Amino acid sequence: MKQEVTIFYTDDDQEDIAFFKEIVSLINSDLSVVTQCNGKELLHTLDNPPPHPYVIYLDLNMPGLNGFDVLKKMRESHNSKSLPVVVFSTSSDEQTIQKSWDMGANYYLPKTGLFDQLKKSIEHTLNINWNSFNADRSNFVYNY
């Protein structure tokens, strides 16, 4: 029996969520995407499994708890400190990328408005074996 893989995606933008779910279903229809519309919702979901995420895609620019706040709380929590987190943000400046790295994100994926590029970048991150992937500053950021 094939095990279903669950992906979490947290973003306050409903259009981005719909776009992400559509792309993931095109890449692999066996993947289950569970979405949260804010950081508080993600933390609640993580503290009350199931489901258990294989990887979490996390937007940074959200009202209330932003992505950095959530990442900090996750890395302090016994339940979620080792979960792979892909920061998925429109911000791609070096300061934001460095802060993501410093706070314990596993990967940085800049958002793009171009469907084919976005699909390719999400597919790339879904093909990473998160159980063995070791990020360093040379492979931490997806380059288009």
Side-chain angles (χ1 to χ4, degrees):
M1 187 170 119
K2 194 172 175 181
Q3 185 180 357
E4 187 174 270
V5 174
T6 301
I7 299 161
F8 282 9
Y9 177 42
T10 305
D11 197 321
D12 62 312
D13 186 320
Q14 291 304 311
E15 284 184 18
D16 283 1
I17 287 175
F19 210 38
F20 183 87
K21 289 175 82 168
E22 178 185 344
I23 287 171
V24 170
S25 71
L26 289 172
I27 293 169
N28 184 341
S29 60
D30 291 333
L31 296 173
S32 171
V33 179
V34 174
T35 62
Q36 302 84 26
C37 59
N38 60 56
K40 194 172 181 179
E41 197 178 313
L42 171 61
L43 294 172
H44 177 78
T45 305
L46 290 172
D47 287 340
N48 297 281
H52 297 279
Y54 174 67
V55 62
I56 298 169
Y57 291 80
L58 179 63
D59 184 37
L60 292 179
N61 304 313
M62 297 183 289
L65 292 177
N66 68 33
F68 289 128
D69 298 331
V70 173
L71 188 55
K72 182 178 190 299
K73 289 183 182 299
M74 284 181 64
R75 293 311 184 221
E76 292 170 348
S77 165
H78 175 72
N79 292 339
S80 57
K81 69 176 161 197
S82 62
L83 290 173
V85 175
V86 175
V87 170
F88 190 41
S89 179
T90 54
S91 304
S92 58
D93 60 284
E94 188 52 44
Q95 187 176 3
T96 302
I97 292 168
Q98 185 62 48
K99 185 173 181 180
S100 300
W101 169 262
D102 292 343
M103 294 188 73
N106 298 81
Y107 200 78
Y108 197 95
L109 183 59
K111 287 182 184 177
T112 175
L114 301 173
F115 186 87
D116 289 342
Q117 284 186 345
L118 191 60
K119 182 177 180 280
K120 186 177 174 190
S121 69
I122 291 171
E123 193 164 17
H124 172 79
T125 59
L126 290 173
N127 286 325
I128 291 173
N129 180 343
W130 294 107
N131 297 320
S132 62
F133 179 74
N134 286 317
D136 60 40
R137 284 299 277 142
S138 70
N139 66 359
F140 179 66
V141 180
Y142 183 85
N143 293 309
Y144 288 96

